[in-house]
Amino acid sequence: MAFDARLLTGVGVFAAVAEAGNFAKAAKILGLTPSGVSRSIARLEARIGVRLFDRNSRVVTLTEEGRRFHARAMPLLAGLEEATVDASGASMVVSGRLRVSIDPWFARMVVAPRLPEFMARYPKLFVELTSTNYREDMMLGVDVAVRFGSPDVASLIVRKLLETPVITCAAPSYIKRCGEPKTPHDLVHHEVLLFRDPQTGRPFQWQFQRGAEIVEVEVAGRVMMDDPTVALEACLAGQGVFQSLAVGLAPWLSRGDIVQILPSWCEEKFPLYAYHPSRALPPAKVTAFLNFIQAIAGAEDRRDAPT
């Protein structure tokens, strides 16, 4: 099939509609009329033989075929953008818009406090940061994704940022009221703060590791949350025992706002990875952000390691 330059134009319009959510907003961004955008999308759909959007009077959403096309086409468009920058002699300039999807805990506890440093370093860069821990379609419309847990996306470039211990904590007020558990099994008699696994909808299991010994405990709690930072606040208030990633907790631990319990049972490690589309030469903005979070993750990992 011969290459049709109009196909490239149609893909650009498709990307704008997918991001804007409707034809009118996309038309304003592109400097076109809504009818012109609609015709361009119709031509693209006819060209590739599938419906890319479900349409109603106010909003359009990607079909399943549209989502797959978006995931494949966006890295190609980004590659063209990078090629253009490179051809203009500005390949080393960190500029433009960087879209990041990042785990909420790491975003709030580690990245946000250091973000002014990154933005000051690259004054021509604009950052759109979305906090979510869901993995499904995590690269949809973004340049970089950051997630805890083992990598499972073979089509992406993966960079390991850190391995952080899983520690168990409680507020001094809770320990004074309820006592301090001495073994993992003592937790069956304590109120714990449960955290929902975004993949299964069920609470994460509580697991403890000491050397080669691994213990799973069937804990119970009356409160289950899907945001670990909210669970931290509840722990600080004395609601119950909290099991958390160690990264980011140093300020509360050092002040004594929370106390690590069962410190000899914290040898389980949880990895953090960054993902970006598989390309030989990632954009300068992606490389700059990856290097930045690698550095701050390493610093936090060393600071938060339990002693």
Side-chain angles (χ1 to χ4, degrees), residues 31-302:
L32 301 174
T33 64
S35 60
V37 169
S38 180
R39 286 194 299 270
S40 181
I41 294 298
R43 285 194 296 267
L44 179 62
E45 291 176 325
R47 171 72 173 179
I48 62 180
V50 297
R51 192 177 80 257
L52 298 172
F53 292 103
D54 288 322
R55 303 159 170 83
N56 62 37
S57 59
R58 291 186 298 176
V59 68
V60 295
T61 57
L62 288 166
T63 62
E64 184 61 31
E65 294 81 4
R67 290 161 70 91
R68 290 200 297 267
F69 183 72
H70 187 279
R72 295 291 299 273
M74 290 309 97
L76 300 178
L77 284 181
L80 288 173
E81 178 185 0
E82 185 69 8
T84 302
V85 172
D86 183 70
S88 68
S91 60
M92 299 307 295
V93 176
V94 178
S95 62
R97 179 174 52 176
L98 177 69
R99 293 170 294 189
V100 181
S101 172
I102 191 166
D103 176 88
W105 179 265
F106 189 68
R108 183 173 297 182
M109 308 296 280
V110 180
V111 175
R114 300 287 296 273
L115 194 58
E117 174 186 337
F118 180 70
M119 300 306 294
R121 189 180 303 173
Y122 303 109
K124 295 183 179 180
L125 186 66
F126 296 83
V127 176
E128 293 182 9
L129 194 151
T130 301
S131 296
T132 175
N133 51 22
Y134 285 90
R135 285 176 170 262
E136 184 179 356
D137 296 323
M138 67 179 176
M139 295 304 303
L140 191 62
V142 304
D143 302 296
V144 179
V146 179
R147 294 290 187 277
F148 282 104
S150 300
D152 55 6
V153 186
S155 62
L156 301 174
I157 298 296
V158 181
R159 180 189 292 195
K160 189 174 185 178
L161 299 175
L162 59 81
E163 281 192 339
T164 185
V166 177
I167 65 175
T168 308
C169 305
S173 61
Y174 176 86
I175 294 173
K176 182 178 180 179
R177 187 174 74 251
C178 302
E180 181 176 350
K182 301 302 181 184
T183 72
H185 293 292
D186 289 345
L187 287 168
V188 299
H189 305 297
H190 284 263
E191 180 74 25
V192 305
L193 298 167
L194 301 174
F195 180 59
R196 181 184 293 113
D197 183 341
Q199 307 304 315
T200 66
R202 297 188 295 272
F204 275 109
Q205 285 189 317
W206 282 43
Q207 182 173 292
F208 299 84
Q209 183 173 345
R210 183 174 63 184
E213 186 178 3
I214 297 176
V215 174
E216 291 187 356
V217 180
E218 294 293 332
V219 296
R222 294 181 296 152
V223 179
M224 182 166 65
M225 305 177 183
D226 64 359
D227 185 338
T229 60
V230 178
L232 172 60
E233 292 297 327
C235 179
L236 290 166
Q239 172 60 35
V241 179
F242 176 44
Q243 194 170 71
S244 170
L245 303 173
V247 64
L249 281 182
W252 290 270
L253 290 167
S254 62
R255 291 193 301 263
D257 297 333
I258 54 175
V259 177
Q260 183 182 357
I261 60 178
L262 303 172
S264 63
W265 287 92
C266 68
E267 295 183 28
E268 179 188 3
K269 298 289 185 70
F270 214 58
L272 178 70
Y273 288 90
Y275 302 82
H276 66 90
S278 178
R279 285 195 290 140
L281 293 173
K285 61 186 179 183
V286 170
T287 300
F289 184 75
L290 289 173
N291 291 340
F292 173 72
I293 59 174
Q294 179 86 73
I296 64 174
E300 288 291 330
D301 193 25
R302 291 187 295 272

